[in-house]
Amino acid sequence: MTIFIDILSALFLAGGAFFCLVGGIGLVRMPDFYTRMHGASVTETLGAGFMLIGLILQAGLTLVAVKLAMIGLLILFASPTATHALAKAALRSGLKPQLGKQPSDDEVTPSKP
Amino acid sequence: MVRSLTTLIGLFLFWLLLSGMFVPFLLAAGLGSAIAVVMFTRRLDIIAAEATPTYLNWFKFVAYCPWLIKEIMVAAWDVTKRILHPKMPISPTMVEFSPSQTTDTGLVIHANSITLTPGTISVEVERGRFLVHALSREGGASLAGSEMDSRCTSLERH
Amino acid sequence: MLAAATLALLVTVALALARAALGPTVFDRLQACSTVGTCAMLVLALLGFLGGRPEFLDIALVYGLLNVIGVIAVLKFFLHGDTNKAGAKSTSEDTPS
């Protein structure tokens, strides 16, 4: 039973490591600021989440697991707020997003000053 | 007063969870700091109405969380494929639509869910107007009147 | 596996630092800082398990809180030139004393 939990935990840790790396690669590869945020959000949701689940599996039903869950909740509640604040501030300061190549009607330019 | 009391109890439970030691001195110190924080928040007049969350449908919220985690996984996998693809098939769009929530809690949950899902970021959030940046055209087109929108509306309780 | 995950996180931190060094705008650098903060949190949690000292989790929790507040504070400073101002964007360019 313990070996099964160990393998599951290792799988989750490997998944978390993979998604963290993907987020980092996205942060470097993407062409402009707004698209880079999407790359970073992969690190913050799936990367962090999988890694914390892997650690919780190793900790078992202890206070350590509760603290790990608290860290996870903190990331899930706080990181979207910081991301939203960054995106809003960037748009307000006049940073124009680079939009897709093919033109279409649903693109809007922000009307706020 | 009820809000102060719930805040006090919540803070003390938080202290107990973090310390994990049940020595009389540490218990007293925890209670003392919880009371001090409640007094500070009362003086600053920032005790939030969220301290007694009665206007959220908690049963539906519990059902909403697993659904949101599934959505996050699907979207993150999509973004991962786009990042690792040699040509990076992205088509960034800005989408404006009006959410159907009416309370602040519903709007905040909806906007947070949008930002939490990789591939979409809520840039401007107002009552009746969301401005969302999406990584792909398909992701942006599916936002208005989505399942997430209706689920967030059903979380509200007036 | 713990060591491998820590190594992957350190590589992610290096990538984020590259973006912080390259980033053309201040927002790119802030986003990179926020990613470094998230990775530092996870590295702290993993280090606690590697060394068998779960006390590191408390540090990770505090680091996460500081990370979010830090990003928002720096953001406010760059938008308004002042961390104390709420609301509308300031029009004057002068730095407050």
Side-chain angles (χ1 to χ4, degrees):
Chain A
M1 195 58 201
T2 42
I3 188 89
F4 177 67
I5 285 182
D6 274 352
I7 290 172
L8 202 63
S9 148
L11 278 179
F12 269 113
L13 283 175
F18 170 72
F19 282 112
C20 279
L21 276 176
V22 165
I25 293 168
L27 206 56
V28 172
R29 269 192 89 188
M30 288 291 191
D32 85 318
F33 166 69
Y34 294 94
T35 48
R36 270 170 216 145
M37 301 187 96
H38 297 297
S41 78
V42 174
T43 304
E44 275 165 7
T45 53
L46 267 202
F50 274 10
M51 240 176 227
L52 288 172
I53 290 173
L55 288 180
I56 286 175
L57 285 176
Q58 287 208 349
L61 281 173
T62 52
L63 213 57
V64 174
V66 176
K67 274 183 199 170
L68 283 167
M70 232 185 259
I71 292 178
L73 276 182
L74 176 72
I75 292 180
L76 285 188
F77 276 101
S79 83
T81 316
T83 309
H84 166 71
L86 261 171
K88 187 171 180 173
L91 195 73
R92 285 281 162 90
S93 77
L95 188 66
K96 289 272 187 298
Q98 208 180 75
L99 295 177
K101 289 138 206 153
Q102 59 273 57
S104 91
D105 295 325
D106 58 358
E107 285 172 16
V108 288
T109 45
S111 56
K112 298 290 283 186
Chain B
M1 203 57 221
V2 177
R3 284 178 189 171
S4 306
L5 213 61
T6 48
T7 313
L8 181 71
I9 292 168
L11 283 171
F12 189 56
L13 285 179
F14 188 58
W15 170 285
L16 288 183
L17 273 180
L18 281 185
S19 88
M21 283 190 266
F22 299 94
V23 193
F25 170 70
L26 282 177
L27 287 181
L31 196 61
S33 40
I35 289 172
V37 169
V38 169
M39 279 166 71
F40 289 150
T41 44
R42 276 180 78 88
R43 176 155 166 70
L44 286 168
D45 204 20
I46 51 170
I47 287 208
E50 284 83 16
T52 46
T54 49
Y55 45 83
L56 185 66
N57 196 332
W58 281 96
F59 295 107
K60 284 197 175 164
F61 186 73
V62 170
Y64 177 71
C65 287
W67 180 81
L68 181 64
I69 290 171
K70 189 210 84 190
E71 284 291 297
I72 288 173
M73 282 176 155
V74 171
W77 183 241
D78 183 57
V79 173
T80 304
K81 277 192 291 190
R82 282 175 201 275
I83 288 174
L84 293 182
H85 196 281
K87 283 184 192 158
M88 274 211 299
I90 57 169
S91 49
T93 16
M94 294 287 260
V95 182
E96 199 180 62
F97 71 102
S98 58
S100 59
Q101 290 81 35
T102 47
T103 61
D104 283 350
T105 316
L107 285 168
V108 166
I109 291 176
H110 190 190
N112 245 8
S113 307
I114 287 176
T115 314
L116 209 49
T117 320
T120 45
I121 287 175
S122 50
V123 181
E124 276 186 26
V125 176
E126 282 164 29
R127 204 174 282 270
R129 177 178 169 272
F130 275 11
L131 186 61
V132 177
H133 184 273
L135 189 59
S136 67
R137 202 167 292 278
E138 304 88 66
S142 64
L143 275 170
S146 60
E147 195 186 348
M148 188 183 279
D149 191 33
S150 54
R151 275 180 183 257
C152 286
T153 310
S154 74
L155 292 179
E156 295 177 329
R157 180 194 284 167
H158 298 284
Chain C
M1 204 60 233
L2 287 171
T6 314
L7 206 64
L9 277 171
L10 289 180
V11 174
T12 312
V13 169
L15 288 169
L17 282 179
R19 175 46 66 198
L22 290 172
T25 64
V26 66
F27 304 109
D28 288 293
R29 295 176 213 272
L30 269 175
Q31 178 65 62
C33 283
S34 148
T35 306
V36 170
T38 310
C39 288
M41 238 169 122
L42 293 173
V43 166
L44 276 171
L46 281 167
L47 276 182
F49 273 78
L50 270 177
R53 291 174 64 187
E55 297 86 18
F56 273 43
L57 287 178
D58 298 324
I59 308 174
L61 206 56
V62 171
Y63 202 92
L65 285 170
L66 279 180
N67 181 29
V68 174
I69 296 171
V71 165
I72 290 178
V74 175
L75 199 60
K76 273 196 132 180
F77 180 77
F78 275 107
L79 273 192
H80 310 306
D82 189 355
T83 49
N84 204 13
K85 211 176 281 177
K89 186 184 167 189
S90 70
T91 49
S92 60
E93 290 291 310
D94 55 343
T95 50
S97 52

